[in-house]
Amino acid sequence: MITITGKTNLVGLLGEPVNHSLSPVMHNAAYEEMGLDWCYIPIPCNKTNLEKVTTALRVINFKGLNVTIPHKQEVLKACSKLTSVANAIQAVNTLIPDTNNKWIGANTDVEGFIMPLKNKNLSNKNVVVIGCGGSARAVVMGLNNLNVKKITIIGRNDNSLNNFIKNMKKLSTKKQISIEAINNKKLDVTTYIEEADLIVNTTPIGMNRKNIENENIPLGNRIWENLSNKTILYDLIYTPRPTNWLKLGQEKNCFIIDGLDMLVEQGALSIKLWSGFNEIPTQIMKSSAKKHLMV
Ligand code: NAP
């Protein structure tokens, strides 16, 4: 149990919604273990108030903020500086206090995403990314760092896909990684799925088990019929754990990865940036998050 005193430092999560987030549980468990007199709180904030809220929290000396859906791109306006990673993908999930009441924007999702793939050799492999929103930017940057051969982005609308590709091509051409976007409402993507070494789901499809079965699986059920057992399935979703899509992968004997390790790792990297500590108790963070998921 955290005791808040007059000296307690405050950190938190800005987003909408934030009421289902595991971050407060996970962060507060880490601070307790580290002996830090810090408290992490969820801060619901809509787009209209984002600028006012980030300014006010800096003025009252918050030690750091995480930023989640839907503000990861909009919050760039509140930053006086960006780290090179945040600048490359134009997305921020961590705000670090700067001088003169300003914030520095950083992105720890990229490293968080890579962590569970560290011992997989993905150089020269084909990767399919489903979805082209905020987290897909971090995923593509991460894949870039892993030197994959080809990234195929599958999305449902041309505008989002075109915007995404325009931004991300700058990254991949530096490394000569081929990147292409495909609208699955217009083209059959079966071959891409069958030939992929790794498939990453960055859409929220699967977060709600109440949906009818076919709607609960990215791209629908049928496309996965010929999924190879050599394909790794990585779902950024961490609740439910596993998602129906990952269960389907298990049935096909695929190696599966859910979003919990990424969540823990990106959180731990934020704590490093705010506190300057190098050792972060990631196992405690993960076990507190898992315990909370079971409640
Ligand atoms: P986002 O920016 O809103 O992007 C969502 C993407 O999914 C968009 O490309 C959107 O397409 C697509 N999409 C949404 N609903 C769809 C549907 N019914 N059918 C087809 N495509 C659909 O969200 P985000 O920030 O990237 O987050 C996405 C998911 O990743 C969330 O579930 C989030 O919890 C998870 N996440 C996990 C972690 C972690 O640490 N594990 C970190 C970040 C995010 P349109 O552009 O056409 O709308």
Side-chain angles (χ1 to χ4, degrees), residues 8 40 50-51 53 56 74 77 84 98 164 174-175 184 197 235 253 256 271 294:
T8 304
Y40 188 104
L50 185 65
E51 202 176 333
V53 172
E74 194 62 28
K77 292 181 192 152
S84 59
D98 196 7
F164 186 86
K174 276 188 202 155
K175 287 205 171 178
N184 65 296
D197 299 290
D235 202 334
N253 294 319
I256 62 156
I271 301 175
M294 282 189 279

Side-chain angles (χ1 to χ4, degrees), residues 201-218:
N201 175 36
T202 74
T203 74
I205 304 167
M207 277 184 83
N208 186 356
R209 272 212 179 117
K210 286 180 203 129
N211 289 346
I212 55 167
E213 204 73 354
N214 204 37
E215 291 246 308
N216 219 352
I217 308 265

